[in-house]
Structures are given as structure tokens and as C-alpha cells.
Amino acid sequence: MRKAILLIEDETILAKNMGLYLEHHDCEVRHAETAEEGIALLDRFKPDAVVLDFNLPGMDGLEALRRLQERAPTLPVVMITGHGNVEMAVEAMKLGAVEFLTKPVSLAKLKLVLDRTLEDARRDRALDYLTSRDNDTLPRQGLVGESGAIRQLRATLQQLLEAENQMSQSQQSTPPAVLVLGETGTGKEVVARTLHFSGRRRGKPFVELNCAALPADLLESELFGHERGAFTGANERKLGLVETAEGGTLFLDEIGDMDLSLQAKLLKLLEERTMRRVGGLRELNVDVRVIAATHRPLEALVQEGRFRADLYFRLCVVRLVIAPLREREQDALLLAEHFLAELAGRYGRKAPVLSPGAQRRMLAHGWPGNVRELRNVLEQALLMNSSGQIEEHQLALVTMNPTTSVSSAMPGSTRPAANGNLHAGGFPQNGFPHNGYANSGFGNSGFGGLGPTTGTAGTATPVDPVAAAEREVLVSALERCHWNVSRTAQALNLTRDALRYRLEKHGLQRRMSFEPRGPSELG
Ligand SMILES: Nc1ncnc2c1ncn2[C@@H]1O[C@H](COP(=O)(O)OP(=O)(O)OP(=O)(O)O)[C@@H](O)[C@H]1O
């Protein structure tokens, strides 16, 4: 991306040379001969950095620096002066100048300084973003649940936190790695966040990365960063997430999917507290606490040679296992109450209660998608409900086709996956699963309460209960949002395209066209 650089320099030849050089290196440059002119350019040009001369006609460089800082406190300013002006340089640094160059200016050095300055600014912005996002997504109540398994987990977390607090400052202060195991949706990330935000590192970044989401080479550069020119396309030096998490926590989700070659680098990080950027020559010291999680049986992966045993043992210094929801059924109703209150608040409604029938249904369900599934089912039920009481038939609990297996079964699961249920998934972007359920007994699962749903042409085709539920959710949300597509998509957490696809599927777009806003919204 081209960087915007504002030069405030009254020496025309120097300014021209700097401008040409920077433009040649993919910068967009504006030049002002006085501080007043430069400050006036700020709003229009919105520079990424300013190069400011000390000795300017009119307002001098220090005063200009003060004004620039007032107007744009995070804007990096590089100062330029003649030789020997040490006092002024010190003053400028105190005022927040990021760098100081003396005349004659080496253009290559100026470029290096700007590169570094802009990279630091990028990292600061990333940290600000991560911190604000963490504050937004921090679970307010931590782990909800009163089952023996959750109480035990909370007690272990408490012990861990106390042990960390007692680590004396003189000792190696990076706490040991933690491995969190549990089926998908059991709350592994909640545990990781609880450890970070309740511990000594809470003021530092919590950085998460899903190791299954990227191919190995991208993952490596994402984690460890790279030097400029390390590979084709590496036009700039980039800091990795390990460095971004300095002083804080790196949460590596789906660690079981990490490539073997990268596992070696991670082991080095854990053992020696050092890392090297891709294409870099220097070992860098880092202080990052690693929390890794997976729904896969890591022990089995070790035996198969797909996960390094030494890394496994290093990660296992603290090993936390979260029981699946079906093994702590009593938590289901507590979690339901918690989510209904939270979601009702979000949708600006009064929290509904669960009817006795709905409670029984929830207690009998297998929850293969665990707490995430429970939350999604309740969100959907809440959207469909207007009576203040959620009935059994409003819970879209999908029973799994016996031929479909849940890949996430953990060792120790008390119920074979094939007897469980398929993740119902709230309102998936690709729609509710509705193939293959015809013979699965799904029709008896309580959707009858939605009433018969006609097809687009009103023909008496056999009712597909999942499609019926989906249609019901759509209609109810559309009505609440006065058939406004954007607002409905937002309410259902869908993209406009995904919603449009679904409206067409259910023949609902014709109805939209009668609404004044409909056709243009549908695009
Ligand atoms: N005990 C709990 N109390 C409150 N909320 C929970 C609890 N467990 C899970 N959740 C919520 O359930 C959802 C899924 O949890 P989370 O993302 O932590 O699961 P996960 O095990 O990391 O899943 P995955 O393996 O798919 O990454 C989140 O919305 C989370 O806030």
C-alpha cells in the first residue's frame, strides 16, 4: 500500500530530492514550504507520516511539532536539522518526534527510518484494535455452569492464576504453556480468555490464531512475521502475531492442525523464548504465554507421527480438559438462562423463559455442537418467539442422520458420535442442513408446532420441517424489520447475499416487491 508522506521543508532542492526518492519507493508525497502550509494540508492529505525541518521561516519546527501533535496525536513525525543542534533534538523527542535526522540527509536512511516508523505505527494500531476488540468480547461472567466438571475447572484455573501471581519477578516470568482440550464449542476459547484476562497479563494483548485456517507457509509468516524480500511479495517487513502478543498471550486454536515443520519453530519458542522472522537472521527474545487448544485427540496424533511428542509434552505442562455439554446436562439450563438474558438484551427484548416441555427437551438433547449449539438454538428460538415463553417446538434441535458422524468425538466421550445429533448451527450462512433427513425420523422431532408451510406456489408438497423452520425464522425477522433486507440480514447475522438466496429459495422475494423499499433492496 502506498504511504502518504508530508514533507515540511523550506530548502527546495532538498525537498525535491527527498520527494523524488520517496515517490520512487512507492510513497505519495506532498510538499509544504512552511509549517503553516503543512498544517493546513493535514486534513486534506491525511499523511501516514510527516518529515519536518527545524529551521523554517515563520513558525519554527518545535512549535510546528506541538501543533501537529495537537491535531493528530498518533501521527509519526521525523525531524530534520543542521548539525549539532542537540538541545533542540532532545526537546523534539520530548514532544514526541519519533526520529531525528541531521543534514545532509541520507535519502536511504530517511527511507529506512520512515519504514520502521510506519511499521511501528501499524503495530500500535493493531494492538489498539486487539485491545478494544478484547474488551468487547470478554465474557462478562467467565465460565457459566455449576456442574462438578465446571466447578473443578474453575478451581483449577484459580489455582493456576494464584501460582502465576506468586511467580517472583526475578524468575523467568513467562508462565507455562497451557493445553485446553475439548470438543468443538465446549468453551476452550472462553477458558483461554479467562486465564489471560484474570491474570497478570490482562493489560497486554490477547492474540488468537486458528491454525487450521491457513496453509503452512502463510501460517508461518502470520505467526513469526517476515523480513522484507523474504519471499516474492514480501515488499515490507511484517511483524508476526508472536511479536504482536509481546508481554501477553498467544492463543493457538486448532493446534492439532499445525504443520510438523511449524511445530518445530513453536517448540523453540516455548523452550528458548526466542523466534526468528521468516527470512530473518537474528534470533529475537520474546515473552509470550502460549495457550493452545484443540478438539482433536492429540495423543493419537502423536502416536501416528502427525504431532511432535516433544511439543505435546511441552504444551502439556498444564492440561485442561473441558467435558462435553452432554456430560454436564445440568449446565444446559443455566447456560440457557444466561444466553437468553444476554441475547434478549442485544435484541432489545424482555428475556423469555423456557416452558417445562422445552426444558425437558433440552435436557434430553445430546448437544454435539456443545455450548455454541445451545446458544445458536436459543438465539433462533428467541427470534421466532413473541410470547415470552419458548415452547419445545421452537427449539430447532436437529437429530443427526445415523450415517453422518461427528468428527470431533474426543476420547472419553460417553456417547458414540453416530448416536449424537448434528450441530444445528443457529442460522448458518449456507442454510439449514436439509438434505438426508427425510428418513432420519426428524419429522417426529417436534417441529409440527410450526404448522404446515406451503411451498412458493402453495402446493401441498411434503413439508420439510427444517425448511419450514428456516422460512418461519425469515418471515418473523422480515416482519420485525419491516421487510428491509439490510436490517433483516443484520438481525439474522447473514450477509445480504446469503439472505437474498434464502428469500428466493422460499419464494419470499415476491412479497418484497410489493413493498416500496423491496426491489431496490433486493438489487
Ligand atoms: N461455560 C461457558 N459459559 C459461558 N459461555 C460459554 C461457555 N462455554 C462456551 N461458551 C460460549 O459458547 C460459544 C463457543 O465457545 P468457544 O468458542 O470458547 O468454544 P471452543 O471450544 O473454543 O470452540 P471451537 O473448538 O469450535 O473453537 C461462545 O459463544 C462462548 O462464549
Side-chain angles (χ1 to χ4, degrees):
M1 208 174 76
R2 274 162 73 84
K3 297 289 177 323
I5 310 292
L6 174 61
L7 301 178
I8 309 182
E9 168 62 73
D10 63 329
E11 280 184 43
T12 325
I13 296 179
L14 174 59
K16 195 169 169 199
N17 287 345
M18 290 195 292
L20 285 174
Y21 188 82
L22 292 175
E23 275 170 1
H24 181 71
H25 286 90
D26 212 22
C27 294
E28 190 182 346
V29 180
R30 290 276 193 290
H31 172 216
E33 288 190 353
T34 64
E36 291 83 350
E37 203 186 310
I39 291 168
L41 262 176
L42 267 193
D43 287 341
R44 261 180 297 142
F45 182 49
K46 297 210 182 339
D48 293 308
V50 176
V51 179
L52 174 66
D53 188 15
F54 248 135
N55 300 311
L56 292 166
M59 188 191 304
D60 73 13
L62 276 185
E63 184 52 26
L65 178 60
R66 252 184 229 109
R67 301 270 181 99
L68 286 168
Q69 299 280 341
E70 274 167 25
R71 301 275 295 272
T74 57
L75 178 66
V77 179
V78 176
M79 301 283 308
I80 296 181
T81 186
H83 251 306
N85 215 337
V86 179
E87 273 171 30
M88 266 202 202
V90 172
E91 195 55 28
M93 290 297 186
K94 278 194 206 151
L95 282 173
V98 290
E99 269 291 352
F100 211 85
L101 294 175
T102 46
K103 290 182 184 175
V105 176
S106 148
L107 295 178
K109 186 157 182 209
L110 171 68
K111 171 75 176 44
L112 267 179
V113 163
L114 282 173
D115 279 350
R116 203 176 53 219
T117 302
L118 291 169
E119 173 60 28
D120 289 348
R122 186 194 73 81
R123 189 187 47 191
D124 288 349
R125 279 199 303 276
L127 285 183
D128 284 352
Y129 162 75
L130 288 165
T131 311
S132 63
R133 203 198 49 174
D134 287 338
N135 289 338
D136 287 350
T137 54
L138 195 60
R140 253 170 264 137
Q141 269 181 261
L143 281 169
V144 175
E146 288 304 329
S147 59
I150 288 292
R151 281 167 181 255
Q152 176 63 49
L153 182 60
R154 264 203 298 264
T156 309
L157 288 175
Q158 193 52 42
Q159 280 174 334
L160 252 182
L161 288 165
E162 279 164 19
E164 277 167 30
N165 279 336
Q166 281 161 10
M167 278 175 86
S168 95
Q169 298 289 348
S170 58
Q171 280 175 345
Q172 152 75 279
S173 66
T174 312
V178 175
L179 180 63
V180 191
L181 299 170
E183 289 182 12
T184 185
T186 42
K188 298 185 288 298
E189 186 176 336
V190 177
V191 165
R193 284 179 179 275
T194 305
L195 262 181
H196 174 84
F197 288 103
S198 312
R200 285 213 319 229
R201 304 196 151 226
R202 62 178 158 266
K204 301 286 179 161
F206 176 88
V207 175
E208 59 182 285
L209 180 66
N210 185 326
C211 303
L214 293 173
D217 47 348
L218 274 185
L219 187 62
E220 179 173 12
S221 112
E222 201 59 30
L223 260 181
F224 297 104
H226 59 72
E227 293 295 344
R228 186 173 171 208
F231 47 82
T232 319
N235 298 327
E236 287 180 6
R237 183 180 66 150
K238 184 184 143 187
L239 288 191
L241 294 179
V242 174
E243 283 177 87
T244 308
E246 176 63 25
T249 301
L250 179 66
F251 174 50
L252 297 175
D253 203 0
E254 306 299 358
I255 189 84
D257 292 75
M258 185 180 267
D259 190 78
L260 275 170
S261 61
L262 210 48
Q263 288 177 23
K265 257 189 129 167
L266 180 61
L267 182 64
K268 189 167 158 55
L269 171 76
L270 291 172
E271 287 189 332
E272 296 169 20
R273 305 273 160 220
T274 60
M275 54 142 272
R276 196 186 288 196
R277 296 189 194 122
V278 178
L281 299 174
R282 274 189 314 136
E283 293 288 340
L284 304 168
N285 292 326
V286 277
D287 165 26
V288 170
R289 200 263 179 92
V290 173
I291 303 182
T294 182
H295 67 273
R296 287 173 178 266
L298 269 193
E299 294 83 352
L301 294 185
V302 171
Q303 272 168 11
E304 290 164 21
R306 286 157 63 195
F307 201 85
R308 291 180 68 115
D310 42 10
L311 177 59
Y312 172 73
F313 290 118
R314 177 55 74 164
L315 286 172
C316 266
V317 176
V318 180
R319 183 174 178 275
L320 303 171
V321 182
I322 313 181
L325 189 54
R326 65 180 166 277
E327 287 174 14
R328 44 184 168 108
E329 279 161 3
Q330 54 168 297
D331 285 345
L333 296 182
L334 269 180
L335 282 159
E337 200 182 317
H338 165 74
F339 288 133
L340 284 174
E342 181 206 312
L343 293 164
R346 179 181 321 160
Y347 289 107
R349 302 217 194 149
K350 193 163 171 282
V353 293
L354 292 167
S355 72
Q359 293 188 21
R360 276 194 300 275
R361 180 91 177 85
M362 289 189 65
L363 289 173
H365 187 58
W367 302 114
N370 291 292
V371 185
R372 179 180 295 112
E373 178 190 359
L374 181 131
R375 189 181 191 284
N376 288 341
V377 164
L378 289 172
E379 181 161 15
Q380 189 181 332
L382 184 104
L383 286 170
M384 287 164 63
N385 183 278
S386 51
S387 71
Q389 174 160 297
I390 292 178
E391 302 299 335
E392 182 182 347
H393 69 262
Q394 290 174 316
L395 299 173
L397 298 172
V398 182
T399 307
M400 191 174 74
N401 181 337
T403 58
T404 315
S405 68
V406 175
S407 61
S408 59
M410 291 286 295
S413 266
T414 52
R415 202 176 300 191
N419 292 340
N421 301 296
L422 187 72
H423 171 44
F427 211 115
Q429 295 283 327
N430 297 324
F432 286 83
H434 57 94
N435 294 326
Y437 290 103
N439 302 321
S440 67
F442 186 89
N444 300 326
S445 68
F447 268 98
L450 289 173
T453 307
T454 52
T456 47
T459 52
T461 47
V463 176
D464 172 346
V466 181
E470 186 180 63
R471 192 176 198 281
E472 189 81 19
V473 174
L474 284 170
V475 171
S476 148
L478 283 164
E479 277 170 358
R480 265 199 335 279
C481 300
H482 307 289
W483 294 76
N484 176 299
V485 173
S486 300
R487 283 214 299 276
T488 311
Q490 215 174 8
L492 294 172
N493 202 14
L494 287 173
T495 63
R496 278 170 54 101
D497 280 346
L499 176 63
R500 204 174 287 137
Y501 161 77
R502 247 165 229 101
L503 294 178
E504 277 168 25
K505 182 170 118 190
H506 292 285
L508 290 168
Q509 84 277 33
R510 289 189 58 202
R511 165 109 183 247
M512 304 289 295
S513 66
F514 293 124
E515 306 294 326
R517 242 187 314 225
S520 62
E521 287 284 3
L522 278 171

